[in-house]
Amino acid sequence: MQTIDIHTHLLSSEVKFDRFYDKLAIRFFAKKFGLEPKALMQNPYEAYVEGLTKNARESKYVKKMVLFGVDERVDNEGNCLHKDITVCATNEDVLALYEKHSDVVIPFFSINPQRPDALELIDKYVALGFKGAKFLQNYWGVDTREARYRPYFEKLASLNLPLIVHIGSESSVHSFKSCEGIEMLDAPLDAGVTVIAAHMALSYEPWRIFKAFSSNPKHFNREYFTLLEMLEKYPNLYADISALLTPVRAKVLRHLSQEKQIHHKLLFGTDFPVPFSMLFNSYDMPLLKRWKLGKEPNFYDRYSEAILHYFDGQNPLYTNYQKILDKIV
């Protein structure tokens, strides 16, 4: 089996790991990502890029990655309101990596639709070789149902550009909860955009720990089931399994593996560099297998082999990217 990771983040070139939490996390997770802790502290962006591309080139399963940053939160005039120094990588940074590592990188742009020149920027980046778009509307505070964003989606549809939309809980950056819901998919779907719902629309409430980690479907959030229904209804809707190895999402893997009627609409994705544990997780994988998979040094292969436990190598999950990117890869 070989596939494409439809969901990989480039970190900001301004990223710094100088908080106590950062130092602690790097100590435990860096080597699991094929990254060197010391290098990450001294030259964080360069070390991240080196580790990311190395993981992709050496992977047995992932041959390329869809790579994107996240645009800033801006006002209606395009003035910056907030720029997260970790996730807000620029399109120019993505382009630079694409030009240097085109053998493993498929570039998607991130353009906040509140920018007055958003439509012109789409044309600019398509001309530079970008193949799709990434939305983090919950960080931007953008309600996609507002009529003023319709031209943006019509532009994407006219250019046949796929759009990845974050749906569900967000813990990496500040998130406007009103912009996390599955209704954020309605406008782009109606405009004819090929939409990829990220993270299977999974949400959780930290104060309800048992429910958050329970693998009993009756404890899954309603929007997960709504998405399954929508995948059957809308021919232009897909969903990725990125970050599904995190404990609050891994609980659904057994259930999702049995929903075969929508497997032709699922896309493989990791959400690199979101960390996960092989041993301490909510999936129903045998302990010995967890321990063995935890020894796999390549991030992409570790993620892939865990997913292969639920979706065998013949599952369309691994080839569905061809329906969206067949003219690209």
Side-chain angles (χ1 to χ4, degrees):
M1 180 278 286
Q2 280 200 319
T3 189
I4 283 177
D5 179 3
I6 202 75
H7 197 123
T8 301
H9 285 267
L10 178 62
L11 297 187
S12 168
S13 57
E14 301 173 21
V15 65
K16 295 180 180 178
F17 300 120
D18 52 6
R19 298 172 300 178
F20 174 77
Y21 169 80
D22 295 331
K23 296 175 182 177
L24 188 64
I26 285 174
R27 178 181 176 186
F28 286 100
F29 289 109
K31 289 193 174 181
K32 288 291 185 181
F33 282 73
L35 308 174
E36 287 298 325
K38 186 177 180 180
L40 274 174
M41 296 303 300
Q42 295 177 344
N43 300 291
Y45 181 72
E46 292 79 4
Y48 178 78
V49 168
E50 181 181 353
L52 172 64
T53 53
K54 185 173 185 288
N55 268 278
R57 285 203 178 90
E58 295 180 355
S59 174
K60 294 178 292 185
Y61 302 111
V62 175
K63 56 184 178 180
K64 285 192 176 186
M65 56 180 158
V66 167
L67 184 68
F68 44 75
V70 172
D71 200 359
E72 304 167 349
R73 185 186 304 150
V74 301
D75 61 20
N76 291 330
E77 285 71 49
N79 301 309
C80 180
L81 297 175
H82 187 268
K83 181 180 181 181
D84 187 278
I85 63 169
T86 301
V87 304
C88 286
T90 66
N91 294 319
E92 282 68 29
D93 286 339
V94 173
L95 177 62
L97 259 71
Y98 172 52
E99 291 175 340
K100 187 176 181 180
H101 305 283
S102 60
D103 58 319
V104 292
V105 171
I106 301 169
F108 274 35
F109 57 74
S110 179
I111 299 170
N112 191 324
Q114 293 198 166
R115 292 190 179 278
D117 59 345
L119 301 187
E120 290 78 11
L121 287 172
I122 292 175
D123 285 329
K124 170 186 173 180
Y125 289 113
V126 168
L128 290 170
F130 284 68
K131 312 303 182 183
K134 161 65 176 173
F135 249 44
L136 200 60
Q137 77 289 337
N138 50 303
Y139 168 63
W140 298 331
V142 166
D143 187 330
T144 61
R145 296 168 294 183
E146 295 183 26
R148 58 177 167 156
Y149 302 128
R150 177 78 182 194
Y152 187 105
F153 299 131
E154 291 177 340
K155 182 78 167 180
L156 294 182
S158 70
L159 294 171
N160 197 29
L161 295 172
L163 171 66
I164 300 173
V165 182
H166 177 101
I167 300 295
S169 297
E170 173 65 71
S171 56
S172 299
V173 294
H174 176 268
S175 180
F176 293 87
K177 298 299 180 183
S178 61
C179 299
E180 290 181 350
I182 202 163
E183 63 275 7
M184 294 297 103
L185 302 177
D186 293 346
L189 285 173
D190 183 63
V193 180
T194 298
V195 179
I196 302 167
H199 319 307
M200 295 305 303
L202 291 164
S203 295
Y204 59 93
E205 299 169 331
W207 54 90
R208 296 182 178 178
I209 298 299
F210 173 78
K211 186 176 180 180
F213 291 98
S214 173
S215 58
N216 188 328
K218 74 177 184 179
H219 293 141
F220 299 171
N221 62 300
R222 178 58 210 165
E223 291 194 334
Y224 165 74
F225 296 102
T226 301
L227 177 59
L228 297 183
E229 295 168 0
M230 291 176 68
L231 287 168
E232 292 192 80
K233 178 180 178 181
Y234 292 96
N236 55 325
L237 177 62
Y238 294 80
D240 76 34
I241 63 163
S242 61
L244 251 65
L245 291 188
T246 56
V248 293
R249 296 187 175 103
K251 61 189 180 185
V252 307
L253 281 168
R254 179 61 62 194
H255 181 271
L256 185 61
S257 71
Q258 297 167 348
E259 295 295 300
K260 295 184 179 181
Q261 75 282 0
I262 52 89
H263 285 187
H264 66 292
K265 303 297 286 294
L266 298 182
L267 299 166
F268 181 89
T270 66
D271 208 15
F272 188 100
V274 173
F276 62 90
S277 169
M278 293 305 304
L279 278 177
F280 306 103
N281 216 319
S282 57
Y283 43 48
D284 58 352
M285 191 181 296
L287 183 60
L288 180 59
K289 184 160 189 174
R290 298 179 188 218
W291 181 80
K292 288 181 177 179
L293 289 183
K295 297 294 184 181
E296 168 56 57
N298 185 286
F299 171 90
Y300 280 127
D301 290 350
R302 191 164 65 255
Y303 197 101
S304 299
E305 289 179 8
I307 296 301
L308 280 163
H309 180 78
Y310 296 93
F311 302 86
D312 68 44
Q314 303 306 310
N315 194 285
L317 164 72
Y318 306 109
T319 54
N320 286 333
Y321 70 85
Q322 296 171 355
K323 301 174 184 179
I324 299 173
L325 303 174
D326 62 339
K327 295 180 181 179
I328 299 171
V329 295

PDB file of all heavy atoms in Angstrom, residues 17 19 38 70 77 98 110 181 187 194 205 220 243 252 313:
ATOM      1  N   PHE A  17      10.114  27.253  20.443  1.00  0.00           N
ATOM      2  CA  PHE A  17       9.738  26.287  21.472  1.00  0.00           C
ATOM      3  C   PHE A  17      10.415  26.673  22.781  1.00  0.00           C
ATOM      4  O   PHE A  17      11.281  25.960  23.285  1.00  0.00           O
ATOM      5  CB  PHE A  17      10.151  24.872  21.050  1.00  0.00           C
ATOM      6  CG  PHE A  17       9.520  24.414  19.764  1.00  0.00           C
ATOM      7  CD1 PHE A  17      10.304  24.069  18.665  1.00  0.00           C
ATOM      8  CD2 PHE A  17       8.147  24.329  19.647  1.00  0.00           C
ATOM      9  CE1 PHE A  17       9.735  23.639  17.486  1.00  0.00           C
ATOM     10  CE2 PHE A  17       7.552  23.905  18.462  1.00  0.00           C
ATOM     11  CZ  PHE A  17       8.354  23.556  17.384  1.00  0.00           C
ATOM     12  N   ARG A  19       8.602  27.814  25.665  1.00  0.00           N
ATOM     13  CA  ARG A  19       7.787  27.683  26.863  1.00  0.00           C
ATOM     14  C   ARG A  19       8.139  26.383  27.588  1.00  0.00           C
ATOM     15  O   ARG A  19       8.646  25.441  26.984  1.00  0.00           O
ATOM     16  CB  ARG A  19       6.295  27.685  26.506  1.00  0.00           C
ATOM     17  CG  ARG A  19       5.801  28.962  25.834  1.00  0.00           C
ATOM     18  CD  ARG A  19       4.368  28.774  25.344  1.00  0.00           C
ATOM     19  NE  ARG A  19       4.268  27.681  24.386  1.00  0.00           N
ATOM     20  CZ  ARG A  19       3.124  27.282  23.838  1.00  0.00           C
ATOM     21  NH1 ARG A  19       1.991  27.886  24.160  1.00  0.00           N
ATOM     22  NH2 ARG A  19       3.106  26.278  22.980  1.00  0.00           N
ATOM     23  N   LYS A  38      17.410  18.629  20.413  1.00  0.00           N
ATOM     24  CA  LYS A  38      18.371  19.725  20.527  1.00  0.00           C
ATOM     25  C   LYS A  38      18.279  20.664  19.335  1.00  0.00           C
ATOM     26  O   LYS A  38      18.275  21.891  19.474  1.00  0.00           O
ATOM     27  CB  LYS A  38      19.793  19.175  20.659  1.00  0.00           C
ATOM     28  CG  LYS A  38      20.844  20.258  20.924  1.00  0.00           C
ATOM     29  CD  LYS A  38      22.227  19.634  21.127  1.00  0.00           C
ATOM     30  CE  LYS A  38      23.272  20.723  21.390  1.00  0.00           C
ATOM     31  NZ  LYS A  38      24.626  20.126  21.590  1.00  0.00           N
ATOM     32  N   VAL A  70      -1.369  28.230   7.677  1.00  0.00           N
ATOM     33  CA  VAL A  70      -2.642  28.815   8.105  1.00  0.00           C
ATOM     34  C   VAL A  70      -2.503  30.326   8.024  1.00  0.00           C
ATOM     35  O   VAL A  70      -1.547  30.894   8.567  1.00  0.00           O
ATOM     36  CB  VAL A  70      -3.009  28.391   9.546  1.00  0.00           C
ATOM     37  CG1 VAL A  70      -4.238  29.165  10.039  1.00  0.00           C
ATOM     38  CG2 VAL A  70      -3.276  26.887   9.612  1.00  0.00           C
ATOM     39  N   GLU A  77     -10.536  44.788   6.360  1.00  0.00           N
ATOM     40  CA  GLU A  77      -9.586  45.529   5.522  1.00  0.00           C
ATOM     41  C   GLU A  77      -8.305  44.746   5.291  1.00  0.00           C
ATOM     42  O   GLU A  77      -7.383  45.226   4.628  1.00  0.00           O
ATOM     43  CB  GLU A  77      -9.254  46.882   6.156  1.00  0.00           C
ATOM     44  CG  GLU A  77     -10.361  47.934   6.027  1.00  0.00           C
ATOM     45  CD  GLU A  77     -11.568  47.623   6.893  1.00  0.00           C
ATOM     46  OE1 GLU A  77     -11.367  47.331   8.099  1.00  0.00           O
ATOM     47  OE2 GLU A  77     -12.697  47.663   6.378  1.00  0.00           O
ATOM     48  N   TYR A  98       7.878  23.625  -1.558  1.00  0.00           N
ATOM     49  CA  TYR A  98       7.419  22.936  -2.768  1.00  0.00           C
ATOM     50  C   TYR A  98       8.489  22.997  -3.861  1.00  0.00           C
ATOM     51  O   TYR A  98       8.785  22.001  -4.526  1.00  0.00           O
ATOM     52  CB  TYR A  98       6.127  23.574  -3.246  1.00  0.00           C
ATOM     53  CG  TYR A  98       5.639  23.089  -4.595  1.00  0.00           C
ATOM     54  CD1 TYR A  98       5.488  21.729  -4.860  1.00  0.00           C
ATOM     55  CD2 TYR A  98       5.322  24.002  -5.604  1.00  0.00           C
ATOM     56  CE1 TYR A  98       5.034  21.287  -6.104  1.00  0.00           C
ATOM     57  CE2 TYR A  98       4.863  23.564  -6.839  1.00  0.00           C
ATOM     58  CZ  TYR A  98       4.728  22.219  -7.077  1.00  0.00           C
ATOM     59  OH  TYR A  98       4.281  21.793  -8.304  1.00  0.00           O
ATOM     60  N   SER A 110      -3.538  28.776   2.020  1.00  0.00           N
ATOM     61  CA  SER A 110      -4.495  29.179   3.062  1.00  0.00           C
ATOM     62  C   SER A 110      -4.699  30.679   2.918  1.00  0.00           C
ATOM     63  O   SER A 110      -3.770  31.456   3.155  1.00  0.00           O
ATOM     64  CB  SER A 110      -3.953  28.827   4.455  1.00  0.00           C
ATOM     65  OG  SER A 110      -4.867  29.243   5.458  1.00  0.00           O
ATOM     66  N   GLY A 181     -18.779  23.998  13.721  1.00  0.00           N
ATOM     67  CA  GLY A 181     -19.841  23.047  13.421  1.00  0.00           C
ATOM     68  C   GLY A 181     -19.886  22.572  11.982  1.00  0.00           C
ATOM     69  O   GLY A 181     -19.338  23.189  11.065  1.00  0.00           O
ATOM     70  N   ALA A 187     -22.194  25.996   2.711  1.00  0.00           N
ATOM     71  CA  ALA A 187     -21.998  26.983   1.634  1.00  0.00           C
ATOM     72  C   ALA A 187     -21.030  26.499   0.559  1.00  0.00           C
ATOM     73  O   ALA A 187     -21.347  26.581  -0.638  1.00  0.00           O
ATOM     74  CB  ALA A 187     -21.554  28.325   2.219  1.00  0.00           C
ATOM     75  N   THR A 194     -15.364  20.912  -4.244  1.00  0.00           N
ATOM     76  CA  THR A 194     -15.001  19.606  -3.697  1.00  0.00           C
ATOM     77  C   THR A 194     -14.459  19.844  -2.300  1.00  0.00           C
ATOM     78  O   THR A 194     -13.385  20.416  -2.129  1.00  0.00           O
ATOM     79  CB  THR A 194     -13.934  18.914  -4.562  1.00  0.00           C
ATOM     80  OG1 THR A 194     -14.474  18.680  -5.869  1.00  0.00           O
ATOM     81  CG2 THR A 194     -13.515  17.585  -3.948  1.00  0.00           C
ATOM     82  N   GLU A 205     -15.829  17.108  24.975  1.00  0.00           N
ATOM     83  CA  GLU A 205     -15.894  18.062  26.077  1.00  0.00           C
ATOM     84  C   GLU A 205     -14.933  17.601  27.157  1.00  0.00           C
ATOM     85  O   GLU A 205     -15.147  16.543  27.759  1.00  0.00           O
ATOM     86  CB  GLU A 205     -17.325  18.154  26.616  1.00  0.00           C
ATOM     87  CG  GLU A 205     -18.321  18.641  25.573  1.00  0.00           C
ATOM     88  CD  GLU A 205     -19.765  18.481  26.029  1.00  0.00           C
ATOM     89  OE1 GLU A 205     -20.033  17.551  26.821  1.00  0.00           O
ATOM     90  OE2 GLU A 205     -20.607  19.279  25.595  1.00  0.00           O
ATOM     91  N   PHE A 220     -20.484   9.065  21.026  1.00  0.00           N
ATOM     92  CA  PHE A 220     -19.883   9.897  19.983  1.00  0.00           C
ATOM     93  C   PHE A 220     -20.758  11.132  19.767  1.00  0.00           C
ATOM     94  O   PHE A 220     -21.978  11.077  19.934  1.00  0.00           O
ATOM     95  CB  PHE A 220     -19.764   9.134  18.658  1.00  0.00           C
ATOM     96  CG  PHE A 220     -18.906   7.899  18.700  1.00  0.00           C
ATOM     97  CD1 PHE A 220     -18.881   7.025  17.621  1.00  0.00           C
ATOM     98  CD2 PHE A 220     -18.125   7.595  19.808  1.00  0.00           C
ATOM     99  CE1 PHE A 220     -18.105   5.880  17.644  1.00  0.00           C
ATOM    100  CE2 PHE A 220     -17.335   6.451  19.845  1.00  0.00           C
ATOM    101  CZ  PHE A 220     -17.325   5.586  18.754  1.00  0.00           C
ATOM    102  N   ALA A 243      -5.518  13.097  12.346  1.00  0.00           N
ATOM    103  CA  ALA A 243      -5.542  13.189  13.821  1.00  0.00           C
ATOM    104  C   ALA A 243      -6.440  12.136  14.458  1.00  0.00           C
ATOM    105  O   ALA A 243      -6.757  12.240  15.643  1.00  0.00           O
ATOM    106  CB  ALA A 243      -5.948  14.588  14.283  1.00  0.00           C
ATOM    107  N   VAL A 252     -13.208   6.084  17.597  1.00  0.00           N
ATOM    108  CA  VAL A 252     -14.190   5.812  16.541  1.00  0.00           C
ATOM    109  C   VAL A 252     -13.654   4.872  15.464  1.00  0.00           C
ATOM    110  O   VAL A 252     -14.398   4.493  14.551  1.00  0.00           O
ATOM    111  CB  VAL A 252     -14.673   7.119  15.859  1.00  0.00           C
ATOM    112  CG1 VAL A 252     -15.163   8.113  16.880  1.00  0.00           C
ATOM    113  CG2 VAL A 252     -13.597   7.722  14.959  1.00  0.00           C
ATOM    114  N   GLY A 313      -4.977  -2.996   3.384  1.00  0.00           N
ATOM    115  CA  GLY A 313      -4.286  -2.330   2.290  1.00  0.00           C
ATOM    116  C   GLY A 313      -5.073  -2.218   1.003  1.00  0.00           C
ATOM    117  O   GLY A 313      -4.709  -1.440   0.119  1.00  0.00           O
TER     118      GLY A 313
END
